[in-house]
Amino acid sequence: MVQFAWLIPMFPLLGFLLIGLLNKRLPVSLSGGIATLMVFLSFIVSAVIFGEVAQDGSVPERVVLFDWISVGDLSIPFSFLIDRLSVIMLMVVTGVGSLIHLYSIGYMHHEQDHPRYFSYLNLFVFFMLLLVLGSNYIVMFVGWEGVGLCSYLLIGFWFKNIDYSNAAKKAFIMNRIGDLGLLLGVFLIYTTFGSVGFREVFESARNFPENSEAITAICLLLFVGAMGKSAQIPLYTWLPDAMAGPTPVSALIHAATMVTAGIYMVVRSNVLYVLSPDASEIVAFVGLATAFFAATIGLKQNDIKKVLAYSTVSQLGYMFVALGVGAYQTALFHVITHAFFKALLFLGAGSVIHAMSGEQDIRRMGGLKKALPITHATFLIGTLAIAGLPPFAGFFSKDEILAKVWEHSPVMFIVLAVTSVLTAVYMLRLYWLTFYGDFRGTENQKHHLHESPATMTMPLVVLAILSTVGGFIGMPEVFHAPHFLNEFLAPVIWKVNHHEASETFEYMLMGISVVLLLLIMFATYNTYVTKKVMPEENDKDLQGFAKLVANKYYVDEIYEAVITKPLNGISSFVYKYIDQGFIDKLVNGTGTSLTGFSGVLRFVQTGNIGGYIFSMVIGIIVILVLTMIL
Amino acid sequence: MKALIVIALLGVVTMMSEVFRFKKLLLPLVVVGLLAACGLAIGDWNTAIRYYSDMVYFDNYSLAFTSLIIVLTLLWLIISKGYFVSDSSRAEHATLILFTLCGGVIMTAYSDLSMFFVGLEILSISLYVLASSNKHDLKSNEAGMKYFLMGSFATGFLLFGMALIYGAAASFNLVKIAEYVQTTAAHGQTPMFVYTGVLLMMVGLMFKVSAAPFHFWAPDVYEGAPTLITAFMATVVKTAAFAAFYRLFSTCFGDISGFWAQTLAVISAVTMLTGNILAVSQTSLKRMLAYSSIAHAGYMLMAIVAMNKISGGAIFLYATAYSLGSLGAFACLHAISKYGDESIENLKGFAADNKIWAGLLGVIVLSLAGIPPVAGFFAKYYIFYGVFQSNFTWLVLVAILSSLIGVYYYFRIIITMVQPRSEKATVLPALTGAHKALLLISALLALGIGIYPAFLQGLLS
């Protein structure tokens, strides 16, 4: 069955072509159905392959489709790698992907442009599958670029709104900066190891000494790529703006799958990162800073999707901390649970927005519990999962990260623990403000409130179940239950630095986090429901730190002043004096003289045979004289 | 060999159709026969048999080119149906086309200079007639006459060259000539008249592939001949001529390449520059394509200059990509030039009327211009790479510059077709199903080859 792995990306590609080419000729209701079916078919094939690999798949299998690029010593086959890491990613991408496709049918039914939406969504899944399936950095890079393109297309889905298309451009450009880093990293990999295939690179890397310059440079360059795609400091500002896209897109691309590509890439390259503790330290530090700063910004956001966006940035930071301390399985564990609960939260938010007729400001919501029972229940599960209440999925993965970080550095642990407190605060604030209290929207909205259709609630329920039980694949050691994920991933992780954490510490950590969480629940309930404290209507009324946070530390403004403005200045200077003044004249001059020359030369073509034969004879004489005599 | 026999017999049978009155069956007969011939050629893959005391030698090289020119003829037949259904001299046309093809196959498979000459003449004489086959058109008559006069002139040089080589090697057989050249070159005793013979043969061949300064016939003949015949000449015939050129030089004269490669490199550079620069100022699409085919001849000559282990595959890939692109472009030209006006301005408004077909034409034009990811880019890439490996860096630079000039006029096609229609212009005849089919096939093949170029390139490497 592994030989049929090419079917997995084939289905969404087929869907993209079918929907994209037939476009408006398809019946309106059909495009969503086709798109969902295609991803679901991939899911089935993935599941079968997953089953096979789980049984006896400790040996990675390479499926070569065709020789793609072959020049000199460089040979890059278009091939897939089926191992335990890629099958897990396949399951997450196609599983969560098909749920979100299904959800989109209901969410987008008011829209005019169905086929465009669904064809892009299918194309995204295709590229994401290429990304996780590729058996070398180049195929992965194709997927990497492709998902960036689809992200751009879908953020700007409502391109008639200038803000939205600006957000799309911002995402694209920020990602390009990262992609450049990745590309340089891949070039350096090729010059260092003479290959870009995962197997060959990692095999020869094992003979390198620790912290060698080349490997550290490669790791850092790859990490720059990850910073862009997975929204880490300093390249994170595009992700909150990316919320301009339709909500299911935010769920699929900007929460569950694409943004975790950076983490997947680092886990895939774990051999290199193990060999470069210096680079790993930087990864951990950047992740920690991102987790903390994004969480503080989340405290003061009032747009339901923006809160979730900053929370995504923060959670991605968590994963990078785990990667930085060498806990690769744990990072992937969090990728999986995060995919469940964050997709759930986004889809829940989408359901809320759908019910509120497009309103996204939580200051205009409140009391939605009654009108949206299923959305409420599932959103609550999502909130508890991300806040880290046992037995929901987020608790296990987050706890494992905290435990691993404690082994690495207590200072980092404290910052990360504070971050998880902040996470609980902003998520519960969001929850209380949205679902409890009095309804604060307009009469019209109140009249229109309704639970979403079954195509939307069904994915919510499935994701809620996954967010509840998903954590059991990785039970903490102290429970003496098997940690399925660690065992499953063991063949693809090179060196696992395993320390027995003391049982007392683990229990203490769990106990404290549960107690703290309950305290936060109580406190936030008290503030937002009992005392009905509302966020300020206008950010200008805020003071001090709150104002700084509400304005996202003015990072966008700083980038604007420090990078964009000077760049624009330089570029307009270059445009005016160098481009227009010099290069244009040179190019146009060449063009004009060429056209003139061509016009003159055509008169040689007289149509007179005598002339032609004469010039042929001259030509022959010149050739003979030049070659024979000179 | 079976393919060659089938095609020759087919030619004879079609000639009979006039007498025995089965002209209605003409087209199906030709198509079925060619399909069979193509199948037989592919079936012989990896056999490499020498026939008739080593007169012809069907190795993989010749089988690949044989299949290619048969497939190109089949594709060409899609738009040329009218030529075989309604025209009064259709039987003669079919016969001549098949004999041209027959000559082409011999030119890809010869193993003896006399056989090469026979093939070349079967091909050329049929073509002289075909070029002037539009009897009522003065320009067509003029084209045939010009082609004949200048072609005979060039054949003279080719024969001179062969005679000199025979005088030295005492054989027409390619293997024997190669042995002779190798032994004498190893001792540094190659006689002067062998060099002269090589140069004279080169001149004759350069005429056939329309390399500068022997290209003067091409624009006039291409323009005067009926558009369909021009398409046939620019694709099938040119491919066969290059197959013969490369076969001769790679088999026999590789050991003295130091003597001729530099000259050929200069000629290749001059050819591509002449073709591209002159194409810039053309107003007739047909003439522009004629110059474009001269420029492409320059690029294909580069593979003969390089003459290393990847050039065989590279020239095959290039011939395929170029012929597919040209067939697509000629299909469009044929569709819009039904009223006899071949001006490029006629393309205005084309995209507005035929969105999909304009898109496909765009793909074809991109392939001809050599823009990734279409076939033409990879064809150029492999050619350039081979030349670079053989240390002709300056030639690669010239080729890149001249490609830039090429982009200018190729993109003019795209720009013109998306412009709004000018008021004066006549309404274009709609594309017929046949034109659409050929456009679609050639564009899809160009894209397919662009995604997986290594397949064709690897066939002969």
Side-chain angles (χ1 to χ4, degrees):
Chain A
M1 197 57 198
V2 170
Q3 291 312 313
F4 290 101
W6 54 271
L7 278 173
I8 301 174
M10 203 52 155
F11 284 123
L13 180 65
L14 205 67
F16 161 68
L17 292 175
L18 208 64
I19 302 168
L21 289 178
L22 292 179
N23 214 319
K24 299 259 151 82
R25 262 158 272 177
L26 276 177
V28 178
S29 50
L30 213 59
S31 53
I34 294 177
T36 312
L37 179 73
M38 289 300 169
V39 181
F40 188 68
L41 287 174
S42 305
F43 173 70
I44 292 175
V45 181
S46 306
V48 174
I49 291 182
F50 180 85
E52 261 176 41
V53 173
Q55 293 224 317
D56 56 355
S58 49
V59 184
E61 228 173 300
R62 205 193 295 226
V63 183
V64 180
L65 299 192
F66 52 86
D67 279 335
W68 184 30
I69 300 169
S70 153
V71 179
D73 332 321
L74 177 67
S75 159
I76 301 167
F78 200 95
S79 56
F80 294 154
L81 186 66
I82 305 292
D83 67 352
R84 294 197 157 178
L85 178 57
S86 55
V87 289
I88 286 197
M89 291 303 287
L90 283 183
M91 292 300 284
V92 173
V93 172
T94 54
V96 177
S98 37
L99 288 174
I100 292 174
H101 273 72
L102 181 64
Y103 178 93
S104 295
I105 298 178
Y107 190 80
M108 298 301 281
H109 81 272
H110 293 308
E111 284 301 322
Q112 296 295 317
D113 222 350
H114 260 90
R116 186 161 60 91
Y117 175 80
F118 281 106
S119 61
Y120 288 168
L121 215 54
N122 259 202
L123 185 66
F124 166 77
V125 174
F126 165 70
F127 278 123
M128 190 68 208
L129 290 169
L130 272 195
L131 196 163
V132 299
L133 274 171
S135 83
N136 54 53
Y137 281 99
I138 304 296
V139 177
M140 188 189 84
F141 185 72
V142 172
W144 187 278
E145 291 294 298
V147 290
L149 169 72
C150 295
S151 156
Y152 163 78
L153 291 172
L154 284 163
I155 295 170
F157 180 72
W158 291 300
F159 55 82
K160 284 181 183 154
N161 181 328
I162 193 77
D163 285 341
Y164 290 3
S165 59
N166 279 342
K169 276 191 267 179
K170 183 173 178 182
F172 198 70
I173 293 167
M174 284 290 210
N175 267 299
R176 300 304 306 168
I177 300 172
D179 294 348
L180 179 65
L182 178 68
L183 201 56
L184 291 175
V186 174
F187 290 159
L188 197 55
I189 285 176
Y190 179 66
T191 49
T192 314
F193 303 110
S195 170
V196 287
F198 289 141
R199 194 177 355 173
E200 293 81 3
V201 169
F202 301 146
E203 254 163 35
S204 56
R206 282 167 209 216
N207 305 322
F208 275 64
E210 208 167 75
N211 271 338
S212 69
E213 277 168 21
I215 291 192
T216 303
I218 288 170
C219 288
L220 289 177
L221 285 170
L222 293 183
F223 181 53
V224 171
M227 277 175 186
K229 196 110 297 182
S230 300
Q232 296 298 294
I233 289 175
L235 299 179
Y236 70 95
T237 54
W238 65 270
L239 185 58
D241 287 15
M243 297 301 127
T247 311
V249 169
S250 312
L252 178 62
I253 302 186
H254 305 118
T257 54
M258 183 187 86
V259 290
T260 58
I263 290 118
Y264 163 78
M265 193 250 302
V266 176
V267 176
R268 178 56 86 196
S269 318
N270 67 75
V271 175
L272 302 178
Y273 282 87
V274 167
L275 284 169
S276 177
D278 288 356
S280 295
E281 201 62 37
I282 293 173
V283 172
F285 183 74
V286 171
L288 189 67
T290 311
F292 181 76
F293 278 100
T296 55
I297 297 175
L299 289 174
K300 282 289 168 195
Q301 295 301 311
N302 297 319
D303 180 319
I304 185 168
K305 286 180 73 182
K306 285 269 161 83
V307 177
L308 293 176
Y310 278 105
S311 128
T312 305
V313 176
S314 170
Q315 296 295 315
L316 291 167
Y318 261 86
M319 300 173 202
F320 277 103
V321 177
L323 294 174
V325 302
Y328 301 104
Q329 291 109 317
T330 312
L332 201 70
F333 186 17
H334 203 56
V335 166
I336 297 167
T337 57
H338 178 256
F340 296 153
F341 62 68
K342 192 49 73 62
L344 170 62
L345 287 169
F346 264 115
L347 295 187
S351 177
V352 168
I353 295 166
H354 192 71
M356 296 285 298
S357 321
E359 179 66 62
Q360 303 197 6
D361 193 329
I362 48 174
R363 289 170 296 198
R364 309 274 169 275
M365 297 177 183
L368 297 182
K369 191 177 145 194
K370 280 216 186 79
L372 306 169
I374 303 178
T375 308
H376 164 255
T378 50
F379 200 90
L380 176 61
I381 293 176
T383 309
L384 295 177
I386 190 175
L389 187 77
F392 298 104
F395 165 77
F396 295 100
S397 53
K398 187 182 276 191
D399 225 47
E400 199 174 306
I401 294 181
L402 284 170
K404 298 277 184 188
V405 172
W406 171 259
E407 289 160 19
H408 185 77
S409 147
V411 182
M412 280 187 164
F413 169 80
I414 291 166
V415 178
L416 207 58
V418 173
T419 308
S420 67
V421 169
L422 294 178
T423 309
V425 173
Y426 67 71
M427 281 312 299
L428 285 161
R429 166 179 174 267
L430 177 68
Y431 170 73
W432 297 130
L433 282 175
T434 310
F435 291 99
Y436 279 76
D438 308 318
F439 185 72
R440 299 179 294 272
T442 61
E443 272 306 307
N444 202 5
Q445 284 171 334
K446 188 168 185 177
H447 186 69
H448 185 251
L449 279 182
H450 62 283
E451 180 60 283
S452 305
T455 50
M456 287 169 70
T457 48
M458 210 171 78
L460 287 179
V461 173
V462 176
L463 284 169
I465 295 170
L466 287 171
S467 303
T468 312
V469 301
F472 298 138
I473 58 170
M475 296 288 254
E477 266 166 48
V478 284
F479 290 172
H480 300 293
H483 194 301
F484 295 117
L485 190 70
N486 276 359
E487 287 167 20
F488 189 76
L489 281 176
V492 291
I493 308 294
W494 185 33
K495 276 183 187 165
V496 185
N497 40 356
H498 192 78
H499 305 286
E500 278 294 325
S502 76
E503 289 201 6
T504 6
F505 172 76
E506 289 250 347
Y507 280 122
M508 227 169 69
L509 181 61
M510 282 179 211
I512 293 176
S513 56
V514 171
V515 171
L516 257 179
L517 186 59
L518 292 175
L519 278 176
I520 293 167
M521 274 171 103
F522 176 72
T524 46
Y525 182 81
N526 196 25
T527 317
Y528 294 111
V529 183
T530 318
K531 290 191 192 158
K532 297 193 176 162
V533 176
M534 278 299 117
E536 286 73 6
E537 276 301 315
N538 197 332
D539 286 347
K540 284 182 186 139
D541 304 338
L542 292 167
Q543 292 298 323
F545 187 63
K547 189 173 178 184
L548 186 66
V549 168
N551 285 300
K552 308 150 196 166
Y553 297 100
Y554 298 99
V555 171
D556 277 329
E557 287 78 3
I558 293 171
Y559 282 178
E560 175 77 27
V562 178
I563 299 171
T564 317
K565 281 245 174 77
L567 258 182
N568 280 343
I570 295 172
S571 113
S572 59
F573 170 81
V574 171
Y575 171 67
K576 213 169 187 176
Y577 296 103
I578 299 185
D579 193 59
Q580 284 202 318
F582 179 65
I583 294 177
D584 272 9
K585 278 188 185 143
L586 191 74
V587 171
N588 291 340
T590 318
T592 323
S593 52
L594 198 67
T595 324
F597 185 47
S598 169
V600 173
L601 207 61
R602 65 189 291 195
F603 291 115
V604 179
Q605 192 82 26
T606 52
N608 181 343
I609 297 195
Y612 291 173
I613 292 188
F614 180 70
S615 46
M616 274 174 70
V617 172
I618 299 281
I620 295 166
I621 292 173
V622 169
I623 290 174
L624 283 176
V625 166
L626 284 185
T627 38
M628 305 298 283
I629 296 171
L630 296 179
Chain B
M1 187 65 210
K2 292 170 209 141
L4 178 58
I5 296 171
V6 169
I7 295 171
L9 281 178
L10 202 60
V12 177
V13 172
T14 47
M15 202 153 43
M16 306 286 185
S17 69
E18 188 87 42
V19 186
F20 293 100
R21 295 175 191 281
F22 54 95
K23 282 202 280 189
K24 281 195 179 138
L25 288 175
L26 205 56
L27 189 65
L29 199 67
V30 172
V31 171
V32 170
L34 287 182
L35 282 174
C38 187
L40 288 170
I42 294 170
D44 278 347
W45 189 254
N46 273 339
T47 50
I49 307 172
R50 296 176 184 276
Y51 293 93
Y52 302 130
S53 345
D54 202 11
M55 290 300 250
V56 285
Y57 175 38
F58 278 90
D59 54 353
N60 280 354
Y61 175 87
S62 62
L63 288 172
F65 273 101
T66 301
S67 319
L68 175 62
I69 59 177
I70 296 176
V71 169
L72 288 175
T73 311
L74 281 165
L75 290 178
W76 174 82
L77 277 173
I78 297 176
I79 50 167
S80 317
K81 214 175 75 188
Y83 223 59
F84 295 103
V85 178
S86 54
D87 197 285
S88 61
S89 353
R90 52 194 165 175
E92 287 87 342
H93 289 166
T95 311
L96 287 170
I97 288 288
L98 288 170
F99 282 156
T100 316
L101 187 60
C102 193
V105 173
I106 299 176
M107 281 167 74
T108 68
Y110 66 91
S111 177
D112 192 285
L113 285 183
S114 54
M115 208 59 201
F116 169 46
F117 187 71
V118 169
L120 185 68
E121 285 307 295
I122 294 177
L123 175 119
S124 301
I125 293 171
S126 319
L127 268 186
Y128 299 148
V129 183
L130 281 171
S132 52
S133 61
N134 194 351
K135 283 171 286 194
H136 307 297
D137 183 8
L138 198 61
K139 272 181 134 181
S140 175
N141 283 309
E142 183 192 334
M145 193 63 198
K146 264 186 189 166
Y147 193 20
F148 171 62
L149 282 176
M150 299 185 70
S152 327
F153 186 67
T155 307
F157 284 96
L158 190 70
L159 274 179
F160 261 129
M162 284 185 184
L164 286 174
I165 300 290
Y166 181 80
S171 170
F172 278 135
N173 190 287
L174 293 198
V175 182
K176 299 230 170 77
I177 297 171
E179 274 167 15
Y180 170 80
V181 169
Q182 196 183 2
T183 23
T184 49
H187 299 93
Q189 294 167 331
T190 320
M192 200 57 166
F193 64 95
V194 171
Y195 289 136
T196 320
V198 171
L199 280 183
L200 289 177
M201 287 186 77
M202 205 159 90
V203 167
L205 283 164
M206 282 190 298
F207 172 85
K208 291 292 167 197
V209 301
S210 70
F214 312 106
H215 67 281
F216 290 102
W217 62 275
D220 291 4
V221 174
Y222 278 24
E223 198 189 10
T227 305
L228 288 171
I229 299 303
T230 311
F232 191 75
M233 278 162 57
T235 53
V236 178
V237 175
K238 190 155 251 182
T239 304
F242 265 106
F245 200 160
Y246 185 82
R247 189 178 179 86
L248 179 65
F249 275 68
S250 66
T251 321
C252 297
F253 306 129
D255 292 300
I256 48 170
S257 68
F259 164 71
W260 51 264
Q262 202 71 36
T263 314
L264 199 61
V266 175
I267 299 218
S268 141
V270 173
T271 306
M272 61 183 90
L273 285 174
T274 312
N276 279 329
I277 291 177
L278 277 167
V280 166
S281 60
Q282 301 305 321
T283 49
S284 150
L285 185 56
K286 198 171 174 187
R287 229 177 147 78
M288 191 171 106
L289 287 174
Y291 280 107
S292 131
S293 100
I294 294 175
H296 283 290
Y299 296 121
M300 284 194 266
L301 282 177
M302 286 172 76
I304 302 175
V305 171
M307 197 64 78
N308 51 29
K309 63 179 192 300
I310 70 163
S311 3
I315 199 170
F316 181 63
L317 178 62
Y318 200 101
T320 315
Y322 155 75
S323 302
L324 284 174
S326 295
L327 272 181
F330 272 109
C332 251
L333 172 68
H334 184 243
I336 65 160
S337 70
K338 279 195 177 150
Y339 300 140
D341 177 11
E342 280 134 6
S343 161
I344 189 167
E345 296 296 305
N346 276 352
L347 273 176
K348 276 189 177 169
F350 184 69
D353 297 348
N354 316 279
K355 282 207 185 71
I356 295 174
W357 311 107
L360 293 175
L361 180 61
V363 170
I364 284 163
V365 169
L366 288 182
S367 178
L368 283 172
I371 309 283
V374 204
F377 168 76
F378 289 97
K380 276 208 173 74
Y381 175 78
Y382 281 111
I383 294 250
F384 290 5
Y385 182 70
V387 174
F388 189 74
Q389 278 198 324
S390 297
N391 292 322
F392 282 95
T393 315
W394 67 267
L395 185 55
V396 177
L397 288 177
V398 173
I400 290 170
L401 282 177
S402 103
S403 303
L404 289 180
I405 304 174
V407 169
Y408 175 82
Y409 65 85
Y410 284 125
F411 277 28
R412 221 173 81 198
I413 298 181
I414 298 184
I415 293 169
T416 316
M417 77 184 180
V418 296
Q419 280 173 345
R421 178 181 328 205
S422 60
E423 284 166 19
K424 289 182 293 178
T426 46
V427 179
L428 295 180
L431 288 177
T432 63
H435 295 117
K436 286 179 179 172
L438 181 56
L439 260 181
L440 183 71
I441 294 174
S442 45
L444 285 184
L445 282 175
L447 271 177
I449 295 171
I451 291 169
Y452 188 21
F455 172 70
L456 286 182
Q457 202 271 332
L459 278 182
L460 298 180
S461 294

